[in-house]
């Protein structure tokens, strides 16, 4: 049997969604209560579409169970932080058998934050599930990659090639690792992600596949905004790129919401950081009726066969992430990867 694996697109059927309960009080700077309200709202929204399991430190189990609906399972777990997209495994499938496996990327706290417990989450979860572990030599996070399930991956040079991750490796080597692990044959490289992004520019903040050959991308019409040039450049790159099948991309854009600051830091507000569930899409909202409603309209059009649900993310962004960052899908086994 072939050992080749492929990461299914996020819109393929899921067995469940994995999340991790907020436990790092210093990260939320006095508003961990608001963070838990936001996390619970996201988990409960996803649970309308598919099972959800919340990894939770033992001393917070009662609090999590009280806030979460019965469709969300709660499991005791040691954590530093709560960004499951990055600390959990990236689930892939064996191309021939459809069996699920998990990539255990090397996790180093985005090169800047504590990770004594979180560096082991992926390995321990795969052991807990009895799912084969594929150890990668690459320092990487789940939010740093996006795939179409048909051979194409999106990635950012300022993340993958950063001196705080894989800066000692040539881009060609990093690309080879990504291709092998994810089962892709084309990587589209953006130079940078959003300005002042804690993660150095995760792709799930500004570009996402909605189907093979189709991408929704963040745009900015304010030429004075620090993200204006970055986002214009990224969209231009997509216009001049082709996917693994040689197709030009159909690009749909969503306007970046107005800039906002918290404790002097710019918040990474984006509507691209959503989660595609079984039959649904859970999307950020910011209490900005015009921007929120336009993002809803665009994404409902992009996913006509799914129910789009908006969930307040105003506290999530103060921690440096959003809905996609706090979730990780586990695909159903079977040959649904392409």
């Amino acid at each position: 049997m072939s050992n080749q694996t492929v990461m299914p697109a996020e819109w393929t059927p899921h067995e469940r969604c994995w999340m991790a309960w907020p436990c790092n009080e210093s990260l939320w700077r006095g508003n961990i209560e608001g963070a838990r309200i936001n996390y619970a709202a996201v988990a409960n929204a996803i649970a309308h579409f598919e099972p959800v399991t919340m990894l939770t430190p033992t001393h917070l189990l009662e609090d999590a169970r009280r806030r979460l609906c019965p469709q969300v399972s709660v499991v005791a777990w040691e954590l530093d932080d709560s960004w499951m997209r990055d600390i959990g495994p990236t689930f892939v499938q064996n191309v021939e058998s459809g069996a699920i496996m998990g990539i255990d990327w090397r996790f180093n706290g985005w090169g800047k934050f504590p990770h004594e417990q979180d560096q082991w989450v992926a390995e321990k979860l795969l052991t807990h599930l009895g799912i084969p572990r594929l150890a990668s030599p690459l320092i990487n996070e789940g939010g740093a990659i996006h795939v179409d399930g048909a051979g194409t991956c999106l990635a950012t040079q300022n993340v993958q090639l950063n001196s705080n991750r894989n800066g000692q490796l040539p881009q060609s080597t990093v690309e080879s690792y990504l291709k092998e692990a994810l089962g892709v044959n084309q990587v589209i490289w953006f130079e940078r992600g959003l300005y002042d992004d804690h993660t150095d520019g995760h792709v799930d903040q500004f570009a996402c596949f909605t189907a093979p050959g189709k991408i929704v991308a963040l745009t900015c019409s304010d030429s004075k905004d620090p993200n204006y040039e970055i986002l214009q450049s990224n969209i231009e790159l997509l216009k001049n790129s082709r996917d693994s099948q040689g197709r030009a991309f159909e690009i749909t854009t969503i306007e970046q919401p107005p800039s906002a600051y918290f404790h002097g830091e710019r918040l990474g507000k984006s509507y691209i950081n959503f989660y595609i569930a079984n039959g649904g899409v859970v999307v950020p909202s910011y209490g900005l009726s015009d921007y929120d409603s336009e993002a809803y309209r665009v994404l409902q059009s992009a996913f006509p066969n799914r129910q789009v649900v908006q969930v307040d993310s105003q506290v999530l962004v103060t921690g440096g992430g959003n809905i996609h960052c706090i979730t990780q899908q586990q695909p159903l086994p079977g040959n649904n990867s392409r």
Side-chain angles (χ1 to χ4, degrees):
M1 185 177 70
S2 170
N3 291 323
Q4 184 183 355
T5 58
V6 61
M7 181 182 177
E10 196 168 315
W11 53 80
T12 57
H14 301 168
E15 183 165 322
R16 72 178 51 250
C17 173
W18 293 92
M19 298 180 64
W21 193 242
C23 57
N24 183 346
E25 295 201 17
S26 64
L27 172 72
W28 302 102
R29 290 173 282 192
N31 198 12
I32 196 165
E33 170 67 16
R36 288 170 180 160
I37 291 171
N38 275 185
Y39 271 68
V42 171
N44 292 339
I46 295 172
H48 284 289
F49 302 103
E50 64 192 42
V52 180
T53 299
M54 186 75 69
L55 305 183
T56 307
T58 303
H59 69 287
L60 297 172
L61 286 170
E62 184 177 339
D63 177 61
R65 287 196 177 104
R66 177 174 59 85
R67 299 172 191 263
L68 297 166
C69 68
Q71 290 75 26
V72 181
S73 305
V74 182
V75 176
W77 213 269
E78 292 181 315
L79 300 166
D80 298 306
D81 216 333
S82 47
W83 306 101
M84 195 64 188
R85 178 67 49 179
D86 295 345
I87 65 177
T90 295
F91 291 99
V92 295
Q93 287 180 299
N94 181 282
V95 171
E96 288 189 4
S97 70
I100 300 298
M101 302 178 181
I103 302 171
D104 180 8
W105 309 106
R106 293 172 59 202
F107 180 72
N108 71 346
W110 307 274
K112 62 193 79 171
F113 295 113
H115 53 282
E116 286 78 9
Q117 300 297 336
D118 288 352
Q119 66 181 320
W120 305 112
V121 168
E123 181 176 354
K124 288 181 177 180
L125 182 58
L126 292 169
T127 300
H128 173 77
L129 294 172
I131 290 177
R133 169 179 172 258
L134 305 174
S136 174
L138 203 63
I139 297 173
N140 185 38
E141 304 95 33
I145 51 174
H146 239 302
V147 301
D148 64 354
T152 311
C153 174
L154 307 178
T156 314
Q157 290 172 329
N158 197 50
V159 175
Q160 302 292 345
L161 308 180
N162 200 302
S163 60
N164 64 12
R165 289 180 179 81
N166 306 297
Q168 78 284 1
L169 298 176
Q171 181 172 316
S172 59
T173 300
V174 174
E175 182 168 313
S176 293
Y177 285 140
L178 290 174
K179 286 179 174 178
E180 180 181 4
L182 302 173
V184 300
N185 49 41
Q186 170 127 337
V187 179
I188 295 173
W189 288 99
F190 300 98
E191 182 182 351
R192 294 178 292 167
L194 296 188
Y195 172 80
D196 214 18
D197 182 349
H198 289 186
T199 70
D200 303 307
H202 274 188
V203 73
D204 66 359
Q205 281 280 69
F206 63 87
C208 174
F209 290 108
T210 59
K214 297 182 179 182
I215 289 178
V216 61
L218 195 67
T219 190
C220 175
S221 57
D222 179 3
S223 61
K224 297 179 181 178
D225 189 289
N227 282 324
Y228 175 82
E229 184 180 336
I230 295 170
L231 294 175
Q232 293 295 320
S233 175
N234 287 347
I235 291 171
E236 192 65 24
L237 174 70
L238 287 172
K239 288 179 179 177
N240 293 312
S241 298
R242 298 292 182 269
D243 70 5
S244 64
Q245 311 300 315
R247 294 172 294 203
F249 290 112
E250 181 182 321
I251 304 165
T252 304
T253 59
I254 299 180
E255 182 74 16
Q256 173 187 263
S259 61
Y261 292 80
F262 182 68
H263 288 262
E265 292 182 4
R266 181 183 170 112
L267 300 177
K269 288 188 174 183
S270 170
Y271 292 106
I272 308 300
N273 203 293
F274 52 77
Y275 179 78
I276 305 171
N278 292 341
V281 185
V282 180
V283 177
S285 67
Y286 302 104
L288 303 167
S289 57
D290 290 348
Y291 288 87
D292 289 351
S293 60
E294 176 63 8
Y296 176 91
R297 183 194 68 78
V298 171
L299 291 171
Q300 187 62 81
S301 177
F303 295 100
N305 299 318
R306 295 174 191 265
Q307 180 185 352
V308 174
V309 177
Q310 286 189 304
V311 177
D312 178 45
S313 294
Q314 293 183 80
V315 179
L316 282 185
V317 294
T318 68
N322 216 311
I323 292 172
H324 197 252
C325 306
I326 67 173
T327 54
Q328 180 63 273
Q329 70 276 4
Q330 179 183 346
L332 277 170
N335 291 307
N336 58 18
S337 60
R338 291 188 184 271

